[in-house]
Each structure stands twice: as structure tokens, then as C-alpha cells.
Amino acid sequence: MSNAVEYELQGDIAVLKAQNPPVNALGYDVRIGLVAGIEQAEADGARAVLIYGDGRTYFAGADIREFGKPPREPLLTAVCERIESSPLLVVSSMHGTALGGGLEVAMSTHYRVAVASAKVGLPEVLLGILPGAGGTQRLPRLIGTQAALDMITTGRHVGAAEALELGVIDKINDGSPLENGLNYVRELLEQGAPRRVTSELPASEALDFDALYETILKKGRGQISPAVAMRAVQASVELPFAEGMKRERELFMELMATDQRQGLIHSFFSERAVSKLPELKGVEPRPVAAIGVIGGGTMGAGIATSALLAGLDVTLIEMNAEAAEAARGRIESNLTGALKRGKITAEKYDAMTGKALALSTDYSALGDVDLVVEAVFEEMSVKKDVFAKLDAACKPGAVLATNTSYLDVNEIATSTSRPKDVIGLHFFSPAHVMKLLEVVVADDTAPDVVATAFALGKKMGKISVRAGVCDGFIGNRILRHYRAAADHMILDGASPYQIDKALTDFGFAMGPYAVADLAGLDIGWAMRKRLAPTRDARERVPKYIDQICEAGHFGQKTGKGYYDYSGGKRGGVPNAEVMDLITAERAELGITPQDFTDADIVRRYMAAMVNEAARVVGEGIARRPLDVDMTFLFGYGFPRYYGGPLKWADLQGLPALLADIQAYAEKDPYFWQPAPLLEQLVAEGRTFDDLNKQASS
Ligand code: 3HC
Ligand code: NAI
């Protein structure tokens, strides 16, 4: 018997306890153990078999680490068939999360009991695959086609109560999974309950599958696994079980071979690896119960909201009483949104807007806070002034953080007597919604301050990424570079609208110019002015957009930018003035416009993104390629199924990408200098992912 499944005969009930921490993934040893356990139970003359998981959960799915490696028999499909066809009564007792292959095992057992807190689901599509051990064939037979499609194409976790109502499980009981399971098995034996074989249930209702396929494909915004999974469910309706299983297998193997599967699994593991920093091993974060926020504009109010939602007390400092009131209004409006969406109760809302939130214009109110996030205007002199005041007002050991987007955190730290307590906490807008938090570590930042930042990020439900100090850190620095590549394409012949369309077709939720309008064109305008004095003469910077700003058009907030929003159409319509200004600028520069295909646009945009990202990794601003990938997934709407820009680059092939960059450099050698790290990886025949693996070994 394998160690991963412990076998014990309790009277006439054989108990199979899975023990494969942390989540009882159905790896090879567990699969062997389950089959051996069933065989042993049959040989021992047991009347029934109980399957449950040790530790925190029933099986949370197949072992994702085995994907992409040669499969080892017995496959999970065969394990499920062996369980289902056993002449003994087989029962699952579930707790924690019965997901993917876990739920597939459960559906192969003849009855299922769960504790009230258990969750079930078939989240395979989120990993770019589909339930491949009978899930697409058994679930519709259990709960109907419509309900099964909902679970399978969204991958959502379903709570025990809903699972009972749907018919995924048969009973909810509180207690330990062992006691719970044994009681249920005894009850079933006493009743003389028959074996209930899911695969023998009649097929579920037919739907208009072709229409559904199109709808699901569209909803996936380029991600194919939900639509392909739907075809497998269709097979369960139209084919006998055995044939349906074959079809499921074919489609499963098709998806297994896709880049999307690799991208999504990279995303899954990187999301978890990103906050694991070797330097933080054994470093205790400082306790944080109360925080201060300086400035209650867009960002300060969002950060305060996020902190309140995380259960922290907040003291917010504004310049005057009027600004403080406006800040309170923004926070209350954010929290009202959370209340409306059912994220918080009315009682919580009252507490968060009442006792937990204080507004002041006086820095002395910050005497007791454990951490401060500054979110005032993006001006070095203003920031330094605020940090000098914080140095005077805050208790020793308080962490002093800045939310600056671009400015030098080292320089900000010099205005305090305690640079080791100073760090960057770069939230993204809207701060109570966006998941990304860049933790910007300055030269003197103490390790326990970094640990505190990561602990705070976790409390706020953020994905925290460590970044070093440079203009724009990881995300905005790379953004500026690929935005410049897009700006160059406009000067050379593309339109902002073609670029936005090509990139939304690629998978981005919005194109860069629609995003610029949303964020406010004044931000980029201010940045261009700031950088102008030190700009290299070879840099190509368009002027037309400054003219748009000079006319008072800052995007959505003023009703006009790249797009014109005055007609009330969602997303606006192209602003004709923009194309006129572009045409004039091209003429002034003597540029004959060239045609760009959508593929050209995507390639150049992505090449610029990858090239700058390679520099950011090469310089140590991001420690690992996966840190860049997660920054883009959680802060910049990068499609998850590509895994991030650097995983995308690996999957495209680095030599071809470098060759393209070298070709672009023939026309603009200043902008398209290949990143040394990219050249090195190509020369060594390695990938960005090799660097990730090297960092975690
Ligand atoms: N295989 C391998 N490792 C897994 C795993 C799996 N299915 N699920 C989780 N892990 C690992 C995580 O990588 C993490 O490892 P680390 O500690 O080294 O970082 C560890 O288990 C703990 O996971 P979390 O940090 O995510 O723990 P949480 O308690 O936050 O979440 C969970 C637990 C809800 C189970 C979450 O891990 C999860 O969603 N896991 C994936 C579930 C899933 O997608 N299952 C389907 C798999 S595909 C399948 O079954 C194919 C089949 O149809 C043939
Ligand atoms: P904002 O202009 O909306 O808000 C700034 C607020 O700070 C104003 O309410 C102002 O009254 C207040 N303020 C200014 N000086 C102050 C002082 N000395 N003491 C107390 N309050 C003061 O600006 P926004 O957009 O919230 O940006 C704030 C910071 O966050 C900037 O550094 C910006 O670069 C950064 N940031 C902005 C993002 C965005 O998308 N808006 C995203 C991430 C970071």
C-alpha cells in the first residue's frame, strides 16, 4: 500500500485516508493508493469503503506539477472507474475544497457527504484544461446540463449548501470528516442503500450547443478552455458514457498541448511564488493594526478603503477641512459599493465609516499609527516635506511608505532621520479593487519593513511584488517603454484606434489609448514635461497629444481625449481632432505613413514590453521574470492565459523575438537596443522560465 493513502478496516467498513499534504493532490502515489485500497477492501470482505482526506482538505485536484510530464499509470480516469465499478458501497466524506480531480473521484463514489464549510468545483478551465477524469460526463448526469456547464465553464467554487441543492452532494453534516463519513456509511448500510453509479444515470438535457459555444468563446476573451470544455459536456448528452469519456480524453489532450495551458499554470504557481522571498525567511513583520494615510484623493481614499476592508483603523490627513470632507465622501462611496455588492454588512459599514476612520488636518494625530502610506501630489518637494513631518510625528518603529508612481524612494527617505523605515507601497487605481501592490525596496529599507509590507499586502488581499528603485519601478517603467513603441507606430502610420483594436483582439481588456483616456492624459503630460530636460535627443516623442492636453482635454474626465465621449457611447468614438493633429505632425516630420497589420502592431508592442522587462530583470529591479509577469497580470490587465509578458516571450521563442528587435533597430537603433539579458539568454539557449527555476532552487 502506498504511504499516501492509509488503509484501515473499521468493522466491516474499509477506511481510506489520503495523506498527501498540503492539499491531498492526486499524484501518482495517491492514485496507486486509492486503487490498492479498493482492492484490499474487496479482498478483506468489507461491506463499504469510506474515502476522506487527512489535514485541511479532501483532494484538491490532480497534481498540477505532473502536467506536461509523461503520464504515469494508473491515470485518474482509471482510478475513478475502478472506484465506481467496485461492488462495495463507496462513500466520500468531504471537507475543505474538493476540486477538479478531487470532485471527479467524489462523483465516482456512490454517495457524498460534506461538512457545511466544504466547497466543490471543477476549476480545470482556469488552468487551461478541462475536467479530464470523467467530470464533464458525470457532472451533467448528476445535476443537469445547464448547471454542469455553469460550474465547468466558470470553474467557480460552489459551497456545500448550493452543492446539496444542485445534487452534487447528498448530505451535509458537521463533524470531523472521519466521524461524519463513518456515520453516513453506517446509515446507508442500515437503510440497505444500493450502489448509485453516476455513469449509469441517464444523459441530461440537450441545449443549443453551437450557440452556447460561440457565447462562451466570446466571454473567454481569447481563452479557449471554457468553450472546449463545453464541447465535452455536449458529448455527455449526445454519446453513450464510454464514447463520451473518449471524447473528453481527446479534448483534454488537445488542451493539455496548448500554450494557454502552460501560461495559466505558470500564472497559478507564480501567483503563489511571488511573495516568497528568500530574504524574508525567518524575518518577523512588525505588527500593524492602525495605519495613517496622507492625502485623500483618488489613491489615498482607495488605500484607506482597502485598509478599512482589511480590518485596520485608519487616520487620514488632508490639507484642509474641506479636502478631508471630500476624502471622507470618496471612502464612504467606495464602501457603499462594497455594501451593495454584499461584500460587507451594514454593521461593518457603520464601524468602518465610524470608529475605525478618523480624518484630520494635523499630523500629530499620527502618533499611534504603525504604518503610514503617503499619497499626496506627485512632486518630490511635496513628498519630502510630508516625510519630514512624518518623521517628526510618528512613533519610533512606524513604517513610512510612499505611494509614488515614479519618484526616487531613496531621495524621499533622505528627508527623514530613519531611512531604514522608509519603503514604497505602490498601489494601483482603484486601490481598493486592483490586486497589485509593488513593494519598492530602497537602499536602506530594513528587512522587517519589507516583511511588514508583504504582510500588509496579504491582509489587504493583494498580490505583492518586490521591486527595486528606478523611475517607474517594474510596471510603469515597462509601460512607458511599450507605450513609446505604440506612439512611434502612430507617427509612422498606425492610428490609436487600430492599435487599441489590435491589442484588445490580442486579449487585453482595453487598448493603451483607451486606458490613457481613463487614467487621465494629464498624468502622461506631466511626466513628459518632467522628463523633457534630461531627454536624449534621439528619443521620438509625439507632440500632438500635448496639444490635446493644452486644449484642456484629459480623456474621460473632461469628455474628450483620444476618444470623444460626448455622445454617451460607452468607450466613446474616435476623436477626429486627434487624427488631424497626427496627420499634421507626420507632415511636419516628413514621414510617409506606412501600413501596419494588426500582427505587426502586436509584435512590436510586445517586443518592446519584453525587451524593457528583460532590462528590468537584468538590472535586478525585478528579482525574477515571474515578478514581471505577475505585475502585468494583476496591475495591467495582461491576459492571464499568456502567463505574463515573459512567459509569453518564452512560448514565442526568444531567438525569433530578438531577431525582430534587431530588425526594428535598423531604423531606430536608439529605441530598439536589445536588452543584454535577452541577448544572453538567446546565446545560452535558455528561457526566462529557466531563471525562475534557478531562483527557486
Ligand atoms: N497540485 C499541486 N500542487 C497544488 C495543487 C494541485 N492541484 N493545489 C495546490 N497546490 C499547492 C500550491 O501550489 C501551494 O504550494 P506551495 O505551498 O509550494 O506554494 C500549496 O499547494 C498550497 O496551496 P495554496 O497556497 O493555494 O493554498 P490555499 O489554501 O490558499 O488554497 C486550494 C487551496 C483552494 C486548493 C488552491 O490551492 C487551489 O485552488 N488549487 C488548485 C485546485 C485545482 O485547480 N484543481 C484542479 C486541478 S486539475 C485536475 O484536477 C485535472 C483533472 O480533471 C484530471
Ligand atoms: P490626487 O490629486 O487625486 O490626490 C492627492 C491628494 O493629496 C489631494 O486630495 C490633496 O489635497 C492631498 N494633499 C496634497 N498635499 C498634501 C499634504 N501636504 N498633506 C496632506 N494632503 C495633501 O492624486 P492621486 O491620483 O491620488 O495620486 C496620489 C499619489 O499616488 C501620487 O504620488 C501618484 O503618483 C500616486 N499614484 C497615482 C495613481 C493613479 O492612478 N492616480 C496610481 C498609483 C499611484
Side-chain angles (χ1 to χ4, degrees):
M1 185 84 48
S2 115
N3 287 336
V5 178
E6 190 183 276
Y7 176 91
E8 194 190 345
L9 203 54
Q10 296 215 8
D12 49 10
I13 304 172
V15 177
L16 306 191
K17 175 168 76 170
Q19 31 194 20
N20 185 22
V23 297
N24 287 319
L26 287 148
Y28 172 72
D29 287 344
V30 179
R31 298 198 301 275
I32 289 273
L34 283 172
V35 172
I38 295 283
E39 278 168 2
Q40 185 74 47
E42 290 169 4
D44 284 349
R47 285 177 70 201
V49 181
L50 171 67
I51 300 178
Y52 80 105
D54 194 18
R56 66 200 231 204
T57 185
Y58 187 78
F59 310 103
D63 188 338
I64 304 170
R65 288 173 213 276
E66 290 181 354
F67 291 0
K69 298 183 185 155
R72 289 176 80 187
E73 310 257 350
L75 299 184
L76 193 57
T77 317
V79 176
C80 289
E81 271 163 20
R82 184 66 186 84
I83 290 171
E84 193 180 52
S85 62
S86 172
L88 309 182
L89 186 79
V90 190
V91 176
S92 286
S93 176
M94 290 137 74
H95 73 298
T97 41
L99 300 176
L103 183 57
E104 290 175 304
V105 168
M107 289 192 290
S108 307
T109 63
H110 306 130
Y111 291 89
R112 290 161 290 282
V113 62
V115 293
S117 59
K119 291 202 166 77
V120 304
L122 291 175
E124 283 88 343
V125 295
L126 306 177
L127 300 172
I129 53 169
L130 53 76
T136 64
Q137 307 302 300
R138 289 192 176 89
L139 190 63
R141 284 178 162 82
L142 268 183
I143 67 171
T145 316
Q146 192 73 58
L149 273 179
D150 166 55
M151 279 182 66
I152 290 171
T153 60
T154 63
R156 75 185 173 95
H157 294 185
V158 171
E162 188 188 348
L164 181 66
E165 206 178 306
L166 287 171
V168 184
I169 61 172
D170 304 298
K171 194 178 171 80
I172 296 178
N173 239 345
D174 270 336
S176 77
L178 175 61
E179 278 314 305
N180 221 3
L182 282 174
N183 289 340
Y184 189 45
V185 176
R186 287 189 195 113
E187 198 182 304
L188 290 166
L189 287 176
E190 264 166 39
Q191 290 167 1
R195 286 165 65 254
R196 222 185 27 183
V197 178
T198 312
S199 64
E200 290 172 3
L201 294 173
S204 52
E205 79 276 11
L207 300 170
D208 182 350
F209 290 111
D210 287 346
L212 271 170
Y213 180 82
E214 293 305 324
T215 312
I216 296 168
L217 196 61
K218 205 163 159 217
K219 218 170 132 199
R221 258 216 219 106
Q223 187 178 331
I224 55 171
S225 51
V228 177
M230 189 237 87
R231 290 295 189 202
V233 172
Q234 178 179 0
S236 82
V237 174
E238 295 174 350
L239 301 173
F241 182 79
E243 294 298 308
M245 285 298 288
K246 270 197 206 144
R247 185 76 188 122
E248 180 192 84
R249 183 83 198 148
E250 279 165 17
L251 295 170
F252 178 79
M253 294 311 287
E254 252 175 46
L255 287 177
M256 201 50 126
T258 58
D259 284 356
Q260 291 199 359
R261 189 271 297 169
Q262 289 199 52
L264 285 163
I265 286 179
H266 173 77
S267 302
F268 178 86
F269 285 118
S270 300
E271 195 179 329
R272 286 160 176 79
V274 77
S275 57
K276 285 185 189 135
L277 301 183
E279 78 217 50
L280 295 187
K281 259 201 187 129
V283 180
E284 272 298 307
R286 298 181 189 174
V288 174
I291 78 162
V293 176
I294 317 299
T298 313
M299 292 308 290
I303 294 164
T305 307
S306 189
L308 290 164
L309 288 170
L312 302 169
D313 286 343
V314 174
T315 303
L316 189 143
I317 306 287
E318 255 295 349
M319 296 208 286
N320 51 49
E322 206 185 349
E325 258 328 286
R328 173 177 280 282
R330 283 185 202 105
I331 296 168
E332 285 181 353
S333 149
N334 292 341
L335 289 171
T336 304
L339 178 66
K340 277 193 190 143
R341 286 193 302 278
K343 280 186 132 190
I344 50 170
T345 60
E347 212 181 354
K348 280 250 161 80
Y349 174 89
D350 289 343
M352 286 176 190
T353 52
K355 236 177 76 195
L357 175 64
L359 289 111
S360 176
T361 52
D362 184 354
Y363 280 69
S364 65
L366 297 172
D368 285 334
V369 302
D370 307 301
L371 180 145
V372 183
V373 186
E374 163 279 311
V376 303
F377 304 133
E378 184 79 341
E379 276 276 339
M380 183 54 91
S381 57
V382 182
K383 304 261 188 213
K384 280 175 123 170
D385 180 48
V386 167
F387 270 75
K389 285 186 187 146
L390 291 176
D391 193 26
C394 293
K395 68 185 180 188
V399 173
L400 308 182
T402 171
N403 182 48
T404 179
S405 306
Y406 290 95
L407 301 176
D408 184 346
V409 184
N410 284 316
E411 190 179 339
I412 294 173
T414 58
S415 58
T416 73
S417 62
R418 36 176 145 171
K420 67 179 181 22
D421 294 338
V422 176
I423 193 163
L425 285 180
H426 185 214
F427 290 83
F428 286 68
S429 180
H432 58 295
V433 176
M434 293 293 287
K435 295 270 277 183
L436 181 65
L437 176 63
E438 276 183 313
V439 174
V440 186
V441 180
D443 291 351
D444 293 328
T445 310
D448 65 339
V449 170
V450 182
T452 308
F454 273 87
L456 178 71
K458 192 165 179 200
K459 220 176 201 174
M460 289 180 163
K462 305 291 181 200
I463 300 287
S464 306
V465 178
R466 184 200 187 282
V469 175
C470 68
D471 202 305
F473 318 123
I474 297 177
N476 281 347
R477 169 169 163 185
I478 297 171
L479 163 77
R480 195 159 76 215
H481 198 73
Y482 63 78
R483 255 302 301 272
D487 289 345
H488 297 169
M489 285 190 270
I490 291 178
L491 287 178
D492 291 336
S495 82
Y497 316 107
Q498 187 197 359
I499 291 179
D500 275 358
K501 164 101 179 33
L503 290 162
T504 47
D505 287 350
F506 174 76
F508 283 101
M510 287 169 88
Y513 298 102
V515 169
D517 268 3
L518 183 66
L521 300 182
D522 45 329
I523 295 184
W525 191 30
M527 190 184 66
R528 285 191 296 280
K529 283 194 266 192
R530 177 169 64 84
L531 295 178
T534 53
R535 185 175 295 141
D536 191 291
R538 291 166 294 178
E539 206 174 315
R540 302 177 69 201
V541 183
K543 280 191 306 200
Y544 67 87
I545 197 59
D546 291 347
Q547 293 166 303
I548 295 281
C549 291
E550 280 154 19
H553 304 312
F554 295 151
Q556 286 202 15
K557 60 186 168 192
T558 59
K560 235 186 211 183
Y562 285 98
Y563 294 83
D564 184 341
Y565 302 90
S566 57
K569 187 169 179 280
R570 209 167 154 256
V573 296
N575 175 0
E577 292 161 47
V578 171
M579 275 325 292
D580 290 345
L581 289 170
I582 291 171
T583 308
E585 189 166 348
R586 283 180 194 149
E588 196 185 317
L589 293 168
I591 294 171
T592 311
Q594 69 184 82
D595 281 339
F596 286 90
T597 64
D598 288 2
D600 290 337
I601 289 173
V602 168
R603 190 72 178 172
R604 274 181 187 258
Y605 192 77
M606 289 304 300
M609 191 183 298
V610 171
N611 202 32
E612 189 65 6
R615 266 194 281 270
V616 161
V617 175
E619 291 169 20
I621 298 297
R623 286 273 175 81
R624 301 158 294 185
L626 69 85
D627 293 317
V628 173
D629 285 342
M630 294 307 101
T631 300
F632 276 83
L633 245 52
F634 292 101
Y636 295 81
F638 196 87
R640 186 178 172 94
Y641 55 80
Y642 291 124
L646 295 180
K647 183 66 187 176
W648 176 89
D650 278 351
L651 290 167
Q652 294 293 305
L654 300 188
L657 205 59
L658 177 61
D660 282 354
I661 291 171
Q662 286 161 339
Y664 303 148
E666 283 171 22
K667 268 202 156 172
D668 184 352
Y670 174 73
F671 183 80
W672 287 107
Q673 288 164 35
L677 179 63
L678 182 59
E679 290 180 314
Q680 185 192 335
L681 288 175
V682 170
E684 292 170 355
R686 298 203 303 155
T687 62
F688 287 111
D689 218 18
D690 289 335
L691 299 181
N692 289 326
K693 292 193 184 106
Q694 191 178 312
S696 67
S697 64

